[in-house]
Amino acid sequence: NAHDSMDEVSGYWRGIGWYRKHFTLDQKYSGKRVFLEFEGVNLVAELWVNGTHLGVHASGYTSFEYEITAAAHFGTADNVVTVKVDNLYHDAIPPTVKTDYTFYGGVYRDVWLRITDPVYVAGTNWATPSVSEQKASLQLHSMVRNAGATPRQITLLQEVIDPQKKTVASLSRSVAVAGAATIEVDQATEIASPELWAPDTPNVYTVRSTLREGERVVDVSEGPLGFRWFHFDAQKGF
């Protein structure tokens, strides 16, 4: 649907499409956890790996992931990912009607293969309750998952890296994670004189979360961060 808004007769193609991809997983990854991350699929996505049905995701505007460890083959064996994508009309899934912008059909953003240790950062999000040119407060909320059966003692190191690749904050927490359990870890810091994000100056920081077991790095996860603020004013508007 990339060019439908330019058609002589306006309209979006709606129907069902299929995707297949073959790949191999090196034997060295045996014992790891393997995930497929989808950044965007419009509208309803149904996923199989090596013939095993893994699930259905019904939203064109949210990312999602599935763990494929149990269905994957390691070594020289072939793996096949199959995705069925339905962008027919669904009255409960937006976009539901003709709109004034282009909405895509199919797998319209990147798909990633993510391989982790049985202990990994299952997710990190953050909030910036206050931001100014002088300082910015940052709250980090992370989930650490132990998919194995044995309890693990690990250290979560979280670093904030500025647009020039300089580390401007570092936080560390040692935590115990029971087998087949997920724990939540909250940490907070302040950044002095932040380089603010704006449309004309899109300064982007990086939040890097690293799990260590002793000196061994078991997982690293990164995500973008922009410091900015906005408000509505009764006289000046937005």
Side-chain angles (χ1 to χ4, degrees):
N1 288 52
H3 306 290
D4 283 0
S5 61
M6 308 302 291
D7 288 350
E8 292 181 6
V9 178
S10 61
Y12 298 97
W13 186 86
R14 309 197 82 159
I16 292 175
W18 291 84
Y19 296 77
R20 297 184 76 199
K21 183 175 180 65
H22 294 255
F23 68 99
T24 57
L25 282 168
D26 196 294
Q27 187 62 43
K28 69 181 181 181
Y29 296 125
S30 180
K32 303 285 189 180
R33 316 296 288 192
V34 185
F35 300 82
L36 277 177
E37 299 178 355
F38 292 80
E39 289 188 358
V41 182
N42 197 41
L43 189 63
V44 179
E46 194 167 359
L47 177 68
W48 292 261
V49 172
N50 298 327
T52 298
H53 185 261
L54 295 179
V56 178
H57 180 79
S59 172
Y61 297 108
T62 56
S63 60
F64 60 97
E65 73 173 25
Y66 284 100
E67 182 172 357
I68 67 169
T69 308
H73 302 143
F74 297 89
T76 59
D78 188 38
N79 290 279
V80 183
V81 176
T82 305
V83 187
K84 176 187 176 183
V85 186
D86 169 4
N87 78 331
L88 290 164
Y89 174 81
H90 296 271
D91 60 6
I93 308 174
T96 57
V97 295
K98 172 70 175 176
T99 65
D100 60 353
Y101 62 92
T102 298
F103 56 85
Y104 299 116
V107 181
Y108 69 95
R109 289 191 175 176
D110 287 336
V111 183
W112 300 93
L113 184 70
R114 181 163 61 89
I115 301 172
T116 76
D117 191 85
V119 178
Y120 59 95
V121 180
T124 297
N125 57 63
W126 45 84
T128 53
S130 63
V131 176
S132 71
E133 294 180 345
Q134 289 71 44
K135 65 179 180 179
S137 60
L138 174 63
Q139 298 175 347
L140 299 169
H141 177 80
S142 299
M143 293 178 291
V144 179
R145 171 73 177 164
N146 180 6
T150 305
R152 304 277 288 271
Q153 185 72 36
I154 54 93
T155 298
L156 173 63
L157 170 66
Q158 294 185 294
E159 300 166 287
V160 181
I161 302 165
D162 71 12
Q164 287 73 46
K165 310 303 180 184
K166 177 184 176 182
T167 300
V168 294
S170 181
L171 306 100
S172 183
R173 179 81 60 83
S174 179
V175 293
V177 192
T182 301
I183 63 169
E184 299 182 1
V185 181
D186 292 317
Q187 303 194 94
T189 188
E190 285 191 346
I191 306 298
S193 303
E195 298 182 56
L196 301 177
W197 186 98
D200 293 333
T201 55
N203 296 305
V204 178
Y205 287 69
T206 299
V207 176
R208 178 185 295 155
S209 300
T210 304
L211 285 183
R212 291 181 178 272
E213 191 170 41
E215 294 300 315
R216 186 174 72 94
V217 174
V218 295
D219 193 33
V220 179
S221 176
E222 293 186 349
L225 163 66
F227 289 108
R228 58 203 185 275
W229 77 84
F230 54 85
H231 68 277
F232 291 92
D233 182 273
Q235 280 72 45
K236 298 180 180 179
F238 181 67

